[in-house]
C-alpha cells in the first residue's frame, strides 16, 4: 500500500504563533513542514528567511521542506541548510545551475527537491530526475496562497508518476497549490506522494484523515 504524506505550508499559518501552528501540524496528520521562502524577485512577495527557520527549528522534530522561490538559489542553499532544512527544493526556472544545486544539497547530507511552475514542461528535468529526492509540481502560479488548482497540472503529476514507476526512480512527487477537499483526491489518484496545503489546512477545511482514498495510507 502506497504511503501519502501531508505537508502543511507555513505561508498560511499565523505568523504571530508559529510554535503553536507547528503543534497543530503535528496533531493533524502532518508528516513534513513546507516552508515557502520568497525573495521578491522570482515571485513578487517577500516571506521569511534563515533567521525565522532557525528560530522554529527547535519547535518540532518534523522534517522541513524549504521551498526556495528565489533567484540564483545556489547562492543561498548552504545558509538554508545551516538554518535547519531537511529538504531544499529549488525552481528550475530560477537557476542555470540545477545540477550544482543538487550537488550542494547532497554534499550537505540533505534531500534535493526540484520545483516547476505550471507552464514549465516536465521534460526540462529529464536528466536530473535520477538524482532528485523530490519533485514539486506547482498546481498554481507560485507566490500567493488561496488560488484555484490549474487542472492541466494534474496530468503533469500523472506523467511524472509514470516515469517514476517505469524507470524505478526514487523521487517523491509533491503538489502545491489549490489543494482542498474538492481537489485533493484528483492529485492523489494521479500519483502524488506529498500534498502541500496552506489555507485549506490552517482553516480546518482539509481534514487529512478523512481525505485519503482507498488503497493509500499515511506513513
Amino acid at each position: 500500500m502506497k504511503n501519502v504524506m501531508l505537508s502543511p505550508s507555513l505561508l498560511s499559518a499565523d505568523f504571530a504563533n508559529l510554535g503553536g501552528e507547528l503543534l497543530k501540524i503535528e496533531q493533524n496528520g502532518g508528516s513534513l513542514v513546507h516552508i515557502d521562502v520568497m525573495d521578491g524577485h522570482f515571485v513578487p512577495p517577500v516571506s521569511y528567511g534563515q533567521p525565522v527557520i532557525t528560530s522554529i527549528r527547535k519547535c518540532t522534530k518534523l522534517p522541513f521542506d524549504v521551498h526556495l522561490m528565489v533567484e540564483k538559489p545556489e547562492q543561498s542553499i548552504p545558509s538554508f541548510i545551516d538554518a535547519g532544512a531537511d529538504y531544499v527544493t529549488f525552481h528550475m526556472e530560477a537557476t542555470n545551475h540545477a545540477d550544482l544545486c543538487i550537488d550542494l544539497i547532497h554534499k550537505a547530507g540533505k534531500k534535493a527537491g526540484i520545483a516547476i511552475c505550471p507552464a514549465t514542461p516536465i521534460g526540462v528535468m529529464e536528466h536530473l530526475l535520477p538524482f532528485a529526492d523530490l519533485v514539486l509540481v506547482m498546481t498554481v502560479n507560485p507566490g500567493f496562497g488561496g488560488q484555484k488548482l490549474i487542472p492541466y497540472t494534474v496530468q503533469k503529476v500523472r506523467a511524472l508518476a509514470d516515469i517514476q514507476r517505469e524507470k524505478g526512480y526514487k523521487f517523491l512527487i509533491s503538489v502545491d497549490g489549490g489543494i482542498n477537499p474538492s481537489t485533493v483526491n484528483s492529485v492523489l489518484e494521479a500519483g502524488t506522494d506529498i500534498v502541500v496545503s496552506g489555507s485549506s489546512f490552517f482553516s480546518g477545511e482539509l481534514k487529512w484523515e478523512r481525505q485519503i482514498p482507498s488503497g493509500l495510507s499515511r506513513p
Side-chain angles (χ1 to χ4, degrees):
M1 184 175 288
K2 179 177 178 176
N3 289 331
V4 292
M5 295 175 279
L6 174 67
S7 183
S9 171
L10 279 189
L11 190 64
S12 297
D14 178 359
F15 281 22
N17 183 30
L18 288 178
E21 299 288 63
L22 288 166
L23 182 61
K24 182 185 293 185
I25 291 172
E26 291 178 349
Q27 294 175 339
N28 290 277
S31 296
L32 304 93
V33 180
H34 189 86
I35 301 177
D36 289 306
V37 176
M38 304 179 183
D39 65 354
H41 298 284
F42 182 69
V43 292
V46 175
S47 57
Y48 32 61
Q50 298 90 332
V52 171
I53 296 171
T54 299
S55 70
I56 63 173
R57 180 63 281 184
K58 62 181 179 291
C59 297
T60 182
K61 293 182 179 179
L62 290 177
F64 284 179
D65 176 16
V66 176
H67 176 196
L68 297 181
M69 287 179 271
V70 304
E71 296 287 353
K72 299 181 179 178
E74 61 273 10
Q75 296 179 357
S76 56
I77 282 170
S79 63
F80 282 103
I81 290 172
D82 290 342
D86 298 287
Y87 288 78
V88 180
T89 299
F90 64 91
H91 270 265
M92 287 292 296
E93 303 90 351
T95 181
N96 292 320
H97 306 287
D99 186 77
L100 172 62
C101 290
I102 291 175
D103 194 47
L104 285 170
I105 298 164
H106 283 165
K107 282 184 175 177
K110 305 301 180 180
K111 303 289 189 180
I114 308 170
I116 53 172
C117 295
T120 301
I122 62 176
V124 302
M125 302 182 291
E126 177 183 357
H127 298 296
L128 297 174
L129 290 177
F131 313 107
D133 300 293
L134 181 151
V135 175
L136 174 61
V137 177
M138 292 300 301
T139 44
V140 300
N141 287 296
F144 302 95
Q147 299 181 62
K148 292 184 178 180
L149 181 143
I150 298 171
Y152 71 74
T153 59
V154 178
Q155 182 55 40
K156 294 172 70 176
V157 174
R158 189 170 287 110
L160 275 168
D162 288 343
I163 294 170
Q164 184 191 51
R165 181 175 55 255
E166 291 167 7
K167 301 285 188 179
Y169 292 157
K170 302 301 182 183
F171 61 81
L172 299 172
I173 301 171
S174 180
V175 297
D176 181 6
I179 303 299
N180 56 48
S182 299
T183 59
V184 65
N185 280 2
S186 66
V187 296
L188 289 174
E189 290 165 357
T192 297
D193 300 293
I194 300 172
V195 169
V196 177
S197 179
S199 53
S200 185
F201 172 82
F202 283 105
S203 70
E205 180 186 16
L206 182 67
K207 306 292 186 183
W208 185 238
E209 289 80 0
R210 302 177 189 174
Q211 295 295 155
I212 301 176
S214 60
L216 304 175
S217 67
R218 287 177 53 189

